[in-house]
Amino acid sequence: MDILFRGGRVFTPEGVVTAAVLVRGGVIAAVGPEGELAREPHETVDLGGGLLVPGFTDAHMHPIQAGLERAKCDLSEVFRP
């Protein structure tokens, strides 16, 4: 089923715009006024005035914390040459 994201702003290559986004088959099919995109049956997600950032993946990490966690992992008993 299609998903319509409405009620917020959208980050686009042209900048931030107030618009709805129609997603069809996991791909953005259209960006525009909600009235133009809401003609077919769809699931609706209300953004509540928030910002939709399509394609954004949060890939940050915390290397110090990861190193500390790794230091706690003792695998000395698992493998012996």
Side-chain angles (χ1 to χ4, degrees), residues 2-47:
D2 298 343
I3 303 172
L4 181 70
F5 293 87
R6 57 166 297 283
R9 297 167 295 134
V10 183
F11 185 82
T12 71
E14 291 78 34
V16 176
V17 298
T18 299
V21 176
L22 180 64
V23 175
R24 190 171 279 145
V27 176
I28 295 173
V31 177
E34 179 182 349
E36 292 179 15
L37 303 182
R39 294 184 179 151
E40 299 177 23
H42 57 269
E43 176 183 344
T44 301
V45 176
D46 187 349
L47 298 173

Side-chain angles (χ1 to χ4, degrees), residues 59-75:
H60 83 282
M61 59 182 226
H62 301 269
I64 294 173
Q65 185 64 33
L68 292 173
E69 290 297 320
R70 185 174 172 154
K72 294 178 187 176
C73 183
D74 180 9
L75 301 175

